[in-house]
Amino acid sequence: MNTQRYQVGTGAQDRVGELFVVVFAGYYRPWATWIAHRLESHGHRTVLQRWDPPREVPLEDALSDLLLARGRILLVLSDWFFELGPRREDEWNEALRGIVADNVDRFAAVNLTNRALLPATAVLEPADLWGVGAQEAERRLLVRLQLPEGPPRRALPAGPGSRYPNDPPAVWGDVPRRNRRFTGRDDLLNRIQEQLMDADHGTAVCALLGMSGIGKTQMAAEYAHRFSSDYDVVWWVNSDTRGTQRERFGELAPELGLNAGSEPGERIRALREALRRGEPHGRWLIIFDGWDDIDLADEILPNGHGHVLITSRNRSWDRAGASTIDVPGFQRHESTGYLMRRARRLTAEQADAVATELGDVPIALVQAAAWLGESDMEVTDYLRMVRDGEVAGLADHGDFDGIPVSMITSWSILINRLRETQSHAVELLTLCTSFGAGRIPIGLIRVMPPAQLPDSLGWLVSDLPSWTRALDTLVNYSVFTRESRDLRTTQANDPGPEQESVHMHRLVHDIVSRLTSPDERQQHRRIVRRMIAAADPGNPQDSRLWPRYAELLPHLEPSGALSSHDYRVQETVLNLLRYCMHSGEFRTGVELAEQIRTQWSEMFPPEHQRMIELTTQQGNILRAHGAFRAAYELDRDSLERLRAQPDTDATALMTATSCLAADQRFLGQYTEALQMQREVLNTALELLGPEDYTTLLAQHNLGVGLRLLGRYSEAYDIDLETLRTRENLLRARHAATLVSGIACARDLRLMGRYGDALARQELGMRLHIQVLGPNHPQTLRARHNLLLCQRRAGAPQDISGAMAALLEQMEQVHGRRHYATMGLVVDFGNYAREHGDLQQARELIEEGESGFRTLLGPAHPISTGMLSNTGLVLQAAGERGEALTMFESAYAGLAATLGPDHPWVLGCALNAAAGRNFTGRLESAAELSRDTLRRARTALGQEHPFTLSCEVALAADLRALREHEEAAKVEDDALQRLARTLGAQHPHALSARQRTRPYWDFEPYLG
């Protein structure tokens, strides 16, 4: 007998009452722990005893062994309890009438089933706990044990065992139905619990490792059900593909009440933070099923007081910080027990022979037990066919990850027999192999027009009884497990056949695929491709439809959709690529785009319209992902090919030119980008007219190009015209109109019109929240600009808290290394330095400089400009020599790249002049200050705050050279203009009056 025990209570108060040994089948552990918890609260002691005596041990001996323990024996009875072994009913009755009846004062029982127990259990007088609430169940337990019914003697803290098993966790997400035939594995399940419970805070991650078909998923599902009372949240994440994994994991965010938008990356970052904090629930279990690609584990794995359980074939999870458990095949007694429960006509000897032949592999035993349980085939005939059968077409396809040939043969037997008796079931089964393994939305075929199906498969949509029988047959034979489709992806309120979804194990998928003829496979893949196209909602920009796209994405490659010549299928493929772009699944999109290109390059010439559309989408997603150089190479080659074609469509040429101009802007090629953008705008005006959406987009991008070149007034004129036209044509609350509002506010700020910029951005901020919501990427961009406007306008309030909050939001939406987030990191660092938090400033500026250098390369204008920010931190720390080196490097580098009159170059010159002054190079400082002032007046105007700062700096250099008369004249002029332009109480004006040397901090802006 199994003697593993679990001591629940050991304190002094526990020794006052009686001792109870709670004996349970592992399947009902939550009930046993709850019973122990309640008895402990009434002052009693308990020991948990899992009951699963080996079949070869006589039942009376096993029950007698229980009597060796002190205290009373409480049996937790269920139909499952009596199936352990399994043992004959007469053996149970004999033992109950014998050893139990002779020791009736030591035995008691509770009953957890609504089905009739064995007649002899009457001797135990079991208390019926089925279908009652926690309070009544506790009362019945105490009455049966003849204990006082009063209130508990002490309150026990919430924890393992404290939740009543009939009360589900607060959040329960998509965990597979409990397998009523789950067998054994108790020691492994207890090891999982021990590893998770004993792990240090933040490191409770356990990975179940093993080959396909070994039972990892079933173990994870059983763990979720068996230990559900230990958790407030249990969430299951199918992880066969990255896109599906991220979509499903992110769906937990709204279930927890998190306001995190609809983009998966945004949701995941908000979710990980909530789980880390334990708010609103601290006891959570997240199960990632089938997670083999661990490269991005750091972006997904949650941290906190909860637990993570992973199933995987990848044996590298220990390097990702997980504890690992190898999942072996069944032990022999588990194999035979399972076979005999599922196929009750088998003897122990027959079950042992089948288990031996199939190597104790669970998935093989499931199929064999289903077949032997449903058919009347003699076991000897089955074994002979398994041993002697030949599986045509499989000899050259490897060893199926170590699965024995006998198992593959057994599947062949099943399929061949089904062909004779249930042909529709085989047709449905082989059709499913044209989907990807895992979750299959098979019900979608029910909404296909019958004309799109061959005559032989018309029954799929016209004969509902045949459909139902075929599906039930495959479920009964354990080929499929049935799931319910996510109704959020449909408009139906009452799920019907069109919402049917099944789960097909990857090993079963592989075997059946290889047992399917090439002609069948080709026909079925064509059907699945059409089905995917028919299920395409047609609008990948609509976040409400993203779950549908996430459901379709894994089936593109298996169905052959990527190589399809069907126009509708190709459009669906492009829509799924657009979905990746709009939903923020940039990495998945980059991989998908490359897969599409590989297939389409063999089908179309580079100048074909489909290839042009693909290139546009691929460049967009590469750019969004931060792969600016790759996007540039792709778009440049495309444009060169289009230009070489004599009959190239003008619109296609315009689009390709626009894409390359965008790449050039991100790569810092500002002059070339502006020239190309002018070409785009001129073409758009000629082809489409001034009020077309594409024309207005080209005009907006022209404003971006002018702004990057420091031509702020010109950019403002363009942006203001675009804003007014968009307001008239689209409406004031359209997302594109709001973008133009941000552009105008940014221009005004850069032009030195701080008050006007703040007023416009405050209005724009309110509209963004109303129209797009607080967490939309565009809203975050507007909030970032608002903070910069508030800073420049001299707002009296401290905005560091608002910057920190925005940084947290942007990290949730974009990630820490995204260029938009890094831009805020830099601006926050500049603000921290300005307000005296030098340590925080140093950390943030170092992070920003390193991040931009990695993303853009050291020669990019952004990377060069960042040196000036580093210099300001060093200067504030008293490291003046090192600071000057940074200032001079930034000044020389940007001057060589952008020319001497660009505002960024003038800002670096202002800082370099200060560095020269502080290190005693007074003449050189004054010379540089004079030149900078002259250029600033030309580039920005006499009244621009930066120009006036240059005057203040020159006055300081002149005083250092004892040229007091000229210094006073220059200073007075600057003070008067600052007071007139910004107001006498503006921080710039106050600093100038206090003779604080002005500085310029660099705002990284990529467009």
Side-chain angles (χ1 to χ4, degrees):
M1 113 176 227
N2 190 310
T3 59
Q4 183 174 355
R5 301 185 179 200
Y6 303 86
Q7 185 69 43
V8 176
T10 56
Q13 296 184 51
D14 296 317
R15 292 193 290 272
V16 176
E18 293 189 51
L19 172 65
F20 292 94
V21 180
V22 183
V23 181
F24 64 98
Y27 194 86
Y28 283 100
R29 181 184 178 87
W31 278 99
T33 54
W34 178 80
I35 290 170
H37 188 273
R38 299 323 302 150
L39 291 174
E40 289 282 339
S41 73
H42 286 274
H44 304 286
R45 291 179 294 151
T46 60
V47 173
L48 295 182
Q49 179 84 35
R50 176 168 51 83
W51 168 263
D52 188 10
R55 190 177 178 281
E56 57 270 18
V57 176
L59 195 53
E60 287 200 2
D61 291 351
L63 289 170
S64 297
D65 287 345
L66 292 176
L67 294 172
L68 298 176
R70 293 182 298 110
R72 298 174 64 187
I73 314 300
L74 178 63
L75 304 180
V76 181
L77 300 183
S78 64
D79 46 354
W80 186 258
F81 190 91
F82 295 105
E83 287 185 1
L84 293 173
R87 298 173 188 269
R88 301 185 314 277
E89 184 175 323
D90 58 350
E91 184 181 357
W92 271 105
N93 285 329
E94 184 178 346
L96 290 169
R97 293 179 186 131
I99 190 71
V100 173
D102 292 343
N103 297 274
V104 71
D105 59 323
R106 295 283 309 278
F107 284 97
V110 294
N111 175 30
L112 302 179
T113 180
N114 63 345
R115 288 187 284 272
L117 296 176
L118 297 176
T121 57
V123 70
L124 293 166
E125 300 179 11
D128 189 3
L129 305 189
W130 171 264
V132 299
Q135 186 174 357
E136 175 62 14
E138 183 173 341
R139 188 193 69 79
R140 293 185 182 187
L141 171 68
L142 296 175
V143 169
R144 173 61 188 88
L145 296 177
Q146 300 177 322
L147 300 174
E149 294 183 46
R153 295 176 54 180
R154 62 194 182 109
L156 297 179
S162 61
R163 179 185 282 109
Y164 184 54
N166 278 351
D167 295 337
V171 178
W172 179 263
D174 220 20
V175 179
R177 297 174 185 174
R178 195 169 192 183
N179 181 2
R180 298 289 301 180
R181 298 187 176 100
F182 185 86
T183 295
R185 306 292 202 176
D186 291 287
D187 292 336
L188 282 174
L189 289 166
N190 290 331
R191 277 186 60 198
I192 295 170
Q193 189 200 35
E194 290 170 6
Q195 290 200 9
L196 291 175
M197 290 293 183
D198 295 344
D200 295 333
H201 170 64
T203 60
V205 181
C206 179
L208 305 182
L209 308 179
M211 68 181 185
S212 292
I214 207 67
K216 304 182 295 296
T217 296
Q218 287 295 324
M219 278 188 60
E222 176 62 21
Y223 181 88
H225 288 281
R226 186 172 295 192
F227 297 97
S228 62
S229 58
D230 295 348
Y231 300 100
D232 301 315
V233 175
V234 180
W235 196 255
W236 186 278
V237 181
N238 289 323
S239 302
D240 287 339
T241 66
R242 182 176 180 273
T244 302
Q245 179 193 54
R246 286 168 56 80
E247 187 75 38
R248 180 60 190 152
F249 184 42
E251 287 172 357
L252 177 56
E255 295 291 334
L256 297 182
L258 304 180
N259 185 12
S262 56
E263 190 271 318
E266 174 185 354
R267 283 182 168 184
I268 288 170
R269 284 177 278 276
L271 176 58
R272 293 181 73 201
E273 179 61 19
L275 295 176
R276 184 187 67 80
R277 293 177 176 175
E279 299 173 355
H281 300 290
R283 298 190 307 166
W284 45 263
L285 170 66
I286 312 295
I287 300 173
F288 294 96
D289 182 39
W291 192 355
D292 294 332
D293 182 3
I294 69 173
D295 290 344
L296 300 178
D298 290 343
E299 296 181 13
I300 299 289
L301 275 179
N303 208 313
H305 290 286
H307 297 160
V308 175
L309 185 59
I310 297 165
T311 72
S312 180
R313 294 175 299 174
N314 190 326
R315 310 196 69 81
S316 302
W317 272 105
D318 55 342
R319 297 203 296 268
S323 61
T324 60
I325 292 178
D326 282 304
V327 180
F330 274 154
Q331 297 180 38
R332 180 53 52 85
H333 74 275
E334 293 173 334
S335 299
T336 57
Y338 177 83
L339 288 166
M340 293 173 68
R341 278 193 297 275
R342 183 73 187 273
R344 293 185 178 274
R345 64 189 177 91
L346 267 64
T347 65
E349 293 74 16
Q350 290 172 328
D352 186 80
V354 173
T356 300
E357 192 62 41
L358 297 178
D360 295 301
V361 176
I363 196 171
L365 294 169
V366 167
Q367 185 272 320
W371 174 251
L372 293 171
E374 297 287 338
S375 73
D376 57 0
M377 179 182 287
E378 291 295 331
V379 175
T380 54
D381 293 338
Y382 177 81
L383 290 174
R384 178 183 53 76
M385 294 179 68
V386 169
R387 292 172 184 142
D388 302 337
E390 295 182 1
V391 186
L394 293 182
D396 299 326
H397 289 83
D399 62 358
F400 289 93
D401 195 22
I403 299 299
V405 173
S406 58
M407 174 184 166
I408 303 169
T409 305
S410 71
W411 278 98
S412 178
I413 294 170
L414 171 63
I415 294 172
N416 289 335
R417 288 305 174 97
L418 286 178
R419 286 188 195 278
E420 299 172 2
T421 60
Q422 297 279 348
S423 60
H424 284 343
V426 176
E427 289 171 353
L428 184 60
L429 172 61
T430 55
L431 177 66
C432 284
T433 63
S434 292
F435 290 88
R439 185 170 183 153
I440 299 174
I442 187 61
L444 291 177
I445 200 170
R446 299 275 311 160
V447 298
M448 283 189 67
Q452 295 191 16
L453 294 173
D455 293 341
S456 61
L457 294 178
W459 67 271
L460 288 166
V461 295
S462 62
D463 189 347
L464 181 58
S466 292
W467 166 275
T468 303
R469 283 194 300 273
L471 196 55
D472 288 346
T473 296
L474 295 171
V475 171
N476 290 338
Y477 279 106
S478 299
V479 180
F480 291 157
T481 54
R482 185 182 265 114
E483 298 183 352
S484 297
R485 286 196 60 227
D486 190 342
L487 296 183
R488 285 170 295 184
T489 66
T490 73
Q491 299 300 316
N493 294 318
D494 185 21
E498 64 275 7
Q499 277 81 52
E500 286 280 5
S501 185
V502 298
H503 188 277
M504 191 175 188
H505 193 282
R506 64 163 61 91
L507 182 61
V508 177
H509 184 279
D510 196 8
I511 292 173
V512 178
S513 294
R514 302 187 193 194
L515 291 171
T516 303
S517 71
D519 290 342
E520 282 184 304
R521 188 180 304 113
Q522 183 177 0
Q523 181 185 64
H524 292 165
R525 293 177 81 193
R526 184 164 53 249
I527 293 171
V528 172
R529 293 196 292 270
R530 291 173 179 172
M531 184 167 61
I532 291 172
D536 178 6
N539 187 5
Q541 291 179 289
D542 189 341
S543 61
R544 295 170 298 180
L545 301 174
W546 290 348
R548 166 65 63 81
Y549 281 111
E551 182 180 52
L552 298 177
L553 187 61
H555 307 295
L556 283 183
E557 195 277 331
S559 68
L562 301 182
S563 58
S564 174
H565 289 265
D566 187 302
Y567 181 87
R568 288 191 60 197
V569 174
Q570 293 168 5
E571 191 61 31
T572 296
V573 169
L574 287 176
N575 276 342
L576 280 159
L577 186 57
R578 295 182 182 107
Y579 149 72
C580 292
M581 173 70 183
H582 292 296
S583 67
E585 292 292 338
F586 301 140
R587 183 180 294 274
T588 299
V590 168
E591 295 171 357
L592 175 60
E594 191 57 39
Q595 287 180 302
I596 300 170
R597 179 167 295 279
T598 299
Q599 296 292 335
W600 285 12
S601 295
E602 298 180 2
M603 298 163 51
F604 307 116
E607 64 276 5
H608 191 278
Q609 181 61 34
R610 278 302 189 208
M611 295 300 291
I612 295 172
E613 292 171 332
L614 170 61
T615 297
T616 300
Q617 297 305 321
Q618 188 172 11
N620 288 341
I621 206 162
L622 284 168
R623 203 179 305 118
H625 189 50
F628 305 134
R629 176 59 61 179
Y632 172 79
E633 298 292 343
L634 181 71
D635 292 331
R636 183 191 61 186
D637 291 346
S638 176
L639 181 58
E640 289 177 353
R641 281 194 298 269
L642 289 173
R643 283 175 172 171
Q645 297 295 321
D647 55 348
T648 296
D649 178 73
T651 302
L653 192 62
M654 176 186 68
T655 301
T657 305
S658 178
C659 290
L660 186 61
D663 299 327
Q664 289 175 326
R665 285 193 295 272
F666 278 100
L667 290 174
Q669 301 171 15
Y670 302 142
T671 302
E672 300 90 332
L674 183 65
Q675 179 180 348
M676 296 194 75
Q677 193 60 47
R678 287 195 189 280
E679 294 178 20
V680 172
L681 179 57
N682 291 336
T683 303
L685 287 168
E686 180 181 345
L687 294 177
L688 307 172
E691 296 184 345
D692 184 83
Y693 187 93
T694 300
T695 303
L696 293 175
L697 177 60
Q699 190 167 284
H700 170 81
N701 288 335
L702 181 63
V704 174
L706 290 167
R707 192 180 308 121
L708 286 167
L709 282 169
R711 295 157 64 173
Y712 303 139
S713 296
E714 294 177 67
Y716 177 65
D717 292 340
I718 291 287
D719 290 332
L720 186 60
E721 179 184 350
T722 307
L723 173 63
R724 289 169 175 167
T725 307
R726 281 175 164 171
E727 284 178 337
N728 291 333
L729 295 177
L730 301 175
R731 67 182 186 278
R733 297 166 65 87
H734 192 280
T737 307
L738 297 180
V739 167
S740 288
I742 298 175
C744 287
R746 188 185 298 275
D747 295 333
L748 288 168
R749 175 169 57 82
L750 295 173
M751 292 163 63
R753 295 169 56 180
Y754 300 146
D756 293 339
L758 178 59
R760 179 173 287 281
Q761 192 57 67
E762 284 177 335
L763 172 61
M765 190 68 242
R766 290 194 295 272
L767 289 174
H768 270 86
I769 292 175
Q770 293 170 10
V771 175
L772 300 176
N775 294 306
H776 192 280
Q778 189 172 310
T779 303
L780 301 185
R781 193 192 319 169
R783 192 181 298 280
H784 187 180
N785 193 47
L786 177 62
L787 290 173
L788 295 178
C789 289
Q790 290 173 337
R791 181 187 177 197
R792 297 305 176 197
Q797 70 269 26
D798 180 7
I799 63 172
S800 61
M803 280 191 156
L806 178 59
L807 180 57
E808 182 176 347
Q809 280 183 286
M810 293 190 81
E811 187 174 359
Q812 291 173 357
V813 172
H814 295 299
R816 189 78 175 190
R817 307 296 287 181
H818 191 273
Y819 64 86
T821 309
M822 289 194 295
L824 180 60
V825 166
V826 173
D827 291 332
F828 194 6
N830 287 332
Y831 184 85
R833 187 209 69 248
E834 184 178 62
H835 289 78
D837 192 340
L838 195 57
Q839 181 59 37
Q840 184 183 31
R842 185 186 294 272
E843 292 173 358
L844 291 173
I845 295 300
E846 286 179 355
E847 178 185 348
E849 181 183 353
S850 173
F852 278 120
R853 186 178 296 272
T854 300
L855 180 66
L856 304 172
H860 193 284
I862 298 292
S863 302
T864 306
M866 279 299 303
L867 298 175
S868 194
N869 288 334
T870 301
L872 289 174
V873 172
L874 293 171
Q875 185 169 270
E879 303 172 40
R880 293 182 169 180
E882 294 84 350
L884 178 59
T885 300
M886 294 292 105
F887 294 145
E888 296 286 9
S889 296
Y891 174 42
L894 284 182
T897 304
L898 303 177
D901 297 327
H902 192 289
W904 294 356
V905 177
L906 299 177
C908 291
L910 179 71
N911 291 340
R916 294 177 186 182
N917 181 298
F918 292 156
T919 54
R921 298 172 55 187
L922 303 182
E923 291 284 353
S924 176
E927 180 182 353
L928 181 56
S929 289
R930 285 186 190 277
D931 183 64
T932 304
L933 175 58
R934 176 178 61 81
R935 295 182 183 279
R937 285 170 174 165
T938 302
L940 298 171
Q942 297 273 1
E943 306 295 327
H944 195 286
F946 179 82
T947 304
L948 301 180
S949 292
C950 290
E951 283 198 80
V952 173
L954 176 59
D957 290 332
L958 291 172
R959 281 196 303 273
L961 292 172
R962 303 184 183 279
E963 297 179 14
H964 296 293
E965 182 177 351
E966 183 181 2
K969 181 179 178 180
V970 172
E971 184 177 62
D972 288 344
D973 181 70
L975 291 175
Q976 291 177 20
R977 290 175 184 271
L978 280 171
R980 185 168 62 247
T981 302
L982 300 178
Q985 299 305 308
H986 191 281
H988 286 0
L990 294 175
S991 294
R993 284 203 299 274
Q994 295 167 2
R995 293 186 173 176
T996 301
R997 180 92 189 200
Y999 56 84
W1000 174 83
D1001 48 39
F1002 177 63
E1003 297 174 6
Y1005 173 67
L1006 281 167

